[in-house]
Amino acid sequence: MFLYCPIHFLLKDYLEIQSPDTLDSDSDKMKLKLKELERALLADNDVDGDDDMFGTGLSMEVDGEWSDPIRMGSHHDSPKESSSSGSYLDSVSGNKEVSHVSSQTPKQMLIECAAILSEGHIEKASAIINELRQKVSIQGDPPQRIAAYMVEGLAARMAASGKYLYKALRCKEPPSSDRLAAMQILFEVCPCFKFGFMAANGAIIEAFKGEKRVHIIDFDISQGSQYITLIQTIAKLPGKPPHLRLTGVDDPESVQRLNGGLEIVGLRLEKLAEILGVPFEFRAVPSRTSLVAPSMLDCKPGEALIVNFAFLLHHMPDESVSTINQRDQLLRMVKSMNPKLVTVVEQDVNTNTSPFFPRFIEAYSYYSAVFDSLDATLPRESQDRMNVERQCLARDIVNIIACEGEERIERYEVAGKWRARMIMAGFKSCPMSSNVIDTIQKLIKEYCDRYKLKEDVGALHFGWEDKSLIVASAW
């Protein structure tokens, strides 16, 4: 059950504190039609990159072991996937040699290269990739920068080495702490990510009303920044603050795992809570998320249970990857625990079920908006911006473009698909309160006016201009 209460001033305090082959058979055609039907039923618009939400060379450094295979990969192993719209190459060139590529923009070259690669024309794709590398720069404007990273994803896919590039990509091998610092900067300078956390915490704060003991379970707590501000807000609640118990699941295979695990996070939060006089306990559960069972989470009678899924569910493989649908399995498991509230924050884009070419278009549209928003927030020469793009966004882009099957772990879904999954698991939507919406709306105005907020079917969409980037919902 979701509670509404007049705590506008508490939410305002909280939010202001926040700093941190073409188809060959009828069978193939039938599968495609079924997928299209599924997307239509679930509002899963995964190809339209122009949705209106409101009505220098090598771009990355990789281990030397993999840099040569990326350029000189065996062509006969190259992946070949169909496009849902037939032969793009036929429509633009009549199966003739591609020419005059140099007169095209990086975006036009990328799209043509992806279409050609999706039809298995390796040599033509390779020629475009080589030319693109001479036209892009990680220090250029947003179209040049996103092209710099996406061209390397195409090269990795062509060389059938995407999974290795994804794992080897270290951006000149910075320490893990540097990449985590870059992630924190991303959440700070790209407000859509920041506001997603804010919306989740706003709903959590309201669920505290009338509770003496609260247990929050987070399946991907990362560095714990979300809970720093949550503890600060609890300390401002009128009367005696409720006892908060926080359980963090520590997945040892996570690419975002902090050195030292969750023990460091727990100690930091415990110290803060002690200073602010908030009764607090922290417990780490060392397990892969897919293996977590209710008995491992130590839920106790008398506690209000809250579960937070912030940028975690898209890493869980679903029915399109395995017969074991870990994504829905996790949601059903959480529902069986009868939580008072579940919060979900995710990127609002489909990189999960769509074939390679439409997925490429979708990714380009999405990350173009992210890169544009970073350009409006950080100066062109900013080292922070380059670190964020290389150490955070580049990994996701390469994985989405170059990898398939279990190796593709960045499997985002649109809001309608998440809503369908939650409903099928037995949850009911709890719309964000007007207090949360109004307060975030005021804060958005302090940023660039190209950032947008829209409420739709109970969820909050945070976007850049007309492109929805992050969606937050409560259940």
Side-chain angles (χ1 to χ4, degrees):
M1 179 178 179
F2 184 74
L3 296 180
Y4 297 84
C5 54
I7 58 170
H8 172 77
F9 71 100
L10 291 172
L11 291 170
K12 187 173 187 297
D13 285 341
Y14 160 72
L15 295 171
E16 289 179 345
I17 291 169
Q18 175 76 21
S19 63
D21 347 305
T22 298
L23 296 175
D24 296 321
S25 68
D26 291 339
S27 176
D28 288 333
K29 291 179 181 177
M30 180 61 73
K31 289 179 181 178
L32 179 59
K33 292 297 182 183
L34 287 173
K35 286 184 178 180
E36 290 174 348
L37 177 59
E38 177 192 17
R39 287 195 293 269
L41 289 173
L42 298 177
D44 195 359
N45 302 318
D46 54 340
V47 182
D48 187 0
D50 295 319
D51 291 346
D52 185 344
M53 180 178 75
F54 307 100
T56 185
L58 187 64
S59 63
M60 57 185 75
E61 300 293 335
V62 299
D63 288 350
E65 180 180 359
W66 301 118
S67 59
D68 288 337
I70 292 169
R71 292 181 175 80
M72 306 299 293
S74 173
H75 290 173
H76 65 272
D77 287 333
S78 301
K80 182 179 181 181
E81 286 209 9
S82 62
S83 165
S84 63
S85 57
S87 176
Y88 176 90
L89 183 63
D90 289 348
S91 66
V92 300
S93 64
N95 282 324
K96 295 178 181 179
E97 291 295 323
V98 177
S99 60
H100 307 300
V101 173
S102 60
S103 65
Q104 297 178 309
T105 65
K107 177 181 179 180
Q108 291 170 329
M109 294 173 69
L110 281 170
I111 293 174
E112 187 164 3
C113 184
I116 289 170
L117 187 57
S118 73
E119 297 174 7
H121 300 280
I122 303 302
E123 293 183 2
K124 295 176 183 178
S126 181
I128 298 177
I129 286 172
N130 290 335
E131 192 160 1
L132 256 172
R133 281 172 168 161
Q134 305 306 314
K135 299 182 66 171
V136 299
S137 169
I138 62 172
Q139 296 177 335
D141 59 20
Q144 282 188 315
R145 299 203 309 269
I146 188 172
Y149 296 115
M150 297 196 82
V151 70
E152 298 308 323
L154 290 172
R157 182 179 184 87
M158 186 178 69
S161 59
K163 62 181 180 181
Y164 305 116
L165 175 59
Y166 182 76
K167 294 177 180 178
L169 177 60
R170 296 197 178 99
C171 304
K172 297 184 179 179
E173 299 187 0
S176 296
S177 59
D178 284 1
R179 182 159 58 83
L180 290 166
M183 289 170 55
Q184 187 62 37
I185 294 172
L186 173 63
F187 293 145
E188 281 297 308
V189 303
C190 188
C192 290
F193 290 89
K194 182 177 181 178
F195 292 142
F197 284 119
M198 290 182 178
N201 266 4
I204 292 172
I205 292 166
E206 292 202 348
F208 271 66
K209 181 68 174 180
E211 300 293 348
K212 295 182 178 181
R213 303 182 67 87
V214 179
H215 181 193
I216 301 178
I217 299 174
D218 195 307
F219 286 86
D220 188 12
I221 197 172
S222 188
Q223 300 174 76
S225 300
Q226 179 176 358
Y227 297 100
I228 292 176
T229 50
L230 187 65
I231 291 172
Q232 290 171 331
T233 307
I234 293 171
K236 294 178 178 290
L237 289 169
K240 183 179 179 181
H243 183 280
L244 173 60
R245 198 155 63 94
L246 177 59
T247 296
V249 177
D250 188 18
D251 186 349
E253 296 183 1
S254 172
V255 298
Q256 300 176 2
R257 186 173 187 258
L258 183 69
N259 285 339
L262 289 184
E263 294 169 354
I264 295 176
V265 173
L267 289 173
R268 183 188 305 148
L269 295 176
E270 286 171 352
K271 183 176 181 180
L272 174 65
E274 182 180 2
I275 293 173
L276 297 178
V278 175
F280 179 78
E281 294 178 44
F282 181 83
R283 179 173 176 264
V285 176
S287 173
R288 290 174 54 187
T289 307
S290 60
L291 300 180
V292 174
S295 60
M296 302 165 61
L297 299 173
D298 192 31
C299 295
K300 299 178 180 179
E303 293 180 328
L305 178 62
I306 297 174
V307 177
N308 183 53
F309 290 121
F311 305 106
L312 174 277
L313 290 173
H314 71 270
H315 283 151
M316 306 297 292
D318 70 348
E319 68 278 3
S320 67
V321 183
S322 171
T323 55
I324 303 175
N325 187 340
Q326 295 183 19
R327 190 167 296 191
D328 292 347
Q329 187 179 63
L330 178 59
L331 293 176
R332 289 193 297 269
M333 186 271 283
V334 168
K335 177 60 180 176
S336 72
M337 299 167 63
N338 194 30
K340 180 178 184 180
L341 181 73
V342 175
T343 51
V344 179
V345 184
E346 282 290 347
Q347 287 94 324
D348 191 15
V349 57
N350 180 28
T351 64
N352 183 30
T353 59
S354 53
F356 164 65
F357 183 60
R359 184 171 76 245
F360 180 91
I361 300 298
E362 181 90 345
Y364 184 91
S365 175
Y366 182 86
Y367 284 101
S368 288
V370 174
F371 276 64
D372 278 343
S373 68
L374 287 174
D375 214 50
T377 310
L378 294 174
R380 186 66 55 83
E381 65 277 7
S382 168
Q383 190 62 48
D384 282 343
R385 179 193 57 72
M386 285 191 287
N387 287 341
V388 164
E389 291 174 355
R390 289 190 300 179
Q391 299 184 36
C392 302
L393 305 181
R395 292 179 62 92
D396 293 357
I397 289 171
V398 168
N399 186 254
I400 290 168
I401 296 173
C403 299
E404 295 297 342
E406 294 182 355
E407 298 296 340
R408 179 153 56 84
I409 66 172
E410 303 299 338
R411 292 179 168 271
Y412 307 122
E413 294 187 307
V414 296
K417 190 64 177 288
W418 289 121
R419 182 169 63 250
R421 289 191 186 279
M422 296 298 290
I423 292 173
M424 286 188 293
F427 293 100
K428 294 182 179 180
S429 176
C430 301
M432 298 285 178
S433 76
S434 58
N435 295 323
V436 175
I437 298 172
D438 292 345
T439 306
I440 296 179
Q441 190 71 270
K442 291 178 182 178
L443 291 175
I444 284 180
K445 293 179 180 179
E446 299 177 7
Y447 289 85
C448 175
D449 60 7
R450 296 163 74 185
Y451 285 107
K452 307 294 181 180
L453 167 62
K454 179 189 177 183
E455 182 182 14
D456 184 43
V457 199
L460 297 185
H461 294 249
F462 303 97
W464 175 253
E465 297 183 330
D466 292 336
K467 187 67 178 178
S468 177
L469 299 179
I470 303 296
V471 60
S473 58
W475 304 84

